Amino acid sequence: MAHATLAKHNLSLVDVDSNTGSEKRVDLGLETLCWPWMRTTAHGIAELFFCKYFFVHTRKNYVKHYFVGRLSNATTASELAQYVIDSIAKEAAAAKRATPYPGSDFVVSFCKGAAHKVYHRCTQLRETAEAASQAAPIVMATGTALILASVYRRELDANSAYLRDVLKIKLSHSATRERVASADAYHKGAKFGASVSLNRQVGGQTARRALR
């Protein structure tokens, strides 16, 4: 329901209110260690909040995750991604301490399981909201029926245009090949990924500064 409300909010911003509809498009960055599971987490959250995602390698063993979209969406996605990444890392460390003879790959396998589960949850949330709006379109004051799926397509096109025309960036794609060393840790991580909150309120000085 929270994400359905967010979707309706975006519909209002884009199609109804001409003042807020002109909200600028940005590319907010978030730097973390260069773990693939962190990229998986950030990617899923970015797409849920109407953002285009990409990353670049910065200093040694670090990457910067970029969330391209409307300012409010990019701010929400980057703040939530930071929160979820931190939560997964903290829970992985706690699970390792509580596990007898966890093995050297326990933490990484746990984080992979959690990240993959979060990614699939984000996809399911988006698809569920799209299906709901397809079954019961939101009818605005203009009498026009609006469907969430079309909003995602429109935002994706606008974000891609921003990357191409404003940032002058052409993205490349590559497959990530990973293995899971500990099945037990992976499943424990997936269980945590199924429960970690994806509707955290955006807060703190960073978010307030960005939204200004």
Side-chain angles (χ1 to χ4, degrees):
M1 291 303 296
H3 291 291
T5 301
L6 173 66
K8 292 180 182 180
H9 181 59
N10 275 272
L11 287 168
S12 297
L13 290 179
V14 174
D15 296 291
V16 178
D17 190 326
S18 60
N19 294 321
T20 54
S22 60
E23 182 184 7
K24 67 178 180 179
R25 205 166 293 275
V26 299
D27 54 309
L28 291 186
L30 167 65
E31 190 176 56
T32 70
L33 288 167
C34 185
W35 288 106
W37 70 264
M38 293 182 178
R39 302 199 298 265
T40 299
T41 301
H43 190 182
I45 292 171
E47 291 188 344
L48 178 60
F49 288 98
F50 306 91
C51 291
K52 181 79 173 177
Y53 170 81
F54 70 95
F55 71 91
V56 296
H57 292 275
T58 53
R59 51 202 173 102
K60 185 179 180 181
N61 298 325
Y62 280 81
V63 297
K64 200 162 196 175
H65 311 271
Y66 283 94
F67 304 85
V68 178
R70 295 182 181 275
L71 176 59
S72 57
N73 289 333
T75 301
T76 302
S78 62
E79 287 276 323
L80 183 60
Q82 180 72 76
Y83 166 74
V84 174
I85 287 171
D86 289 347
S87 297
I88 291 173
K90 182 178 179 180
E91 187 66 21
K96 181 180 180 180
R97 291 193 298 269
T99 302
Y101 311 107
S104 59
D105 294 320
F106 182 94
V107 168
V108 174
S109 296
F110 182 101
C111 292
K112 287 179 182 178
H116 292 160
K117 187 62 177 182
V118 166
Y119 185 90
H120 289 303
R121 281 179 64 196
C122 289
T123 301
Q124 289 172 352
L125 281 167
R126 191 182 76 244
E127 291 176 349
T128 299
E130 289 177 354
S133 69
Q134 184 78 40
I138 303 163
V139 179
M140 309 310 296
T142 58
T144 304
L146 299 172
I147 297 174
L148 178 59
S150 66
V151 178
Y152 273 106
R153 287 194 298 270
R154 186 163 62 241
E155 286 297 298
L156 176 60
D157 291 342
N159 292 337
S160 296
Y162 182 84
L163 275 168
R164 182 186 65 246
D165 302 333
V166 178
L167 301 181
K168 307 296 183 183
I169 292 176
K170 184 177 181 179
L171 300 180
S172 60
H173 301 271
S174 62
T176 299
R177 295 178 177 84
E178 295 187 88
R179 66 183 183 86
V180 175
S182 171
D184 177 61
Y186 182 91
H187 290 304
K188 287 181 178 178
K191 184 177 180 180
F192 176 74
S195 63
V196 65
S197 175
L198 295 179
N199 60 1
R200 176 177 179 266
Q201 293 292 321
V202 174
Q205 293 298 322
T206 301
R208 283 195 287 273
R209 284 197 299 272
L211 286 170
R212 288 196 189 102

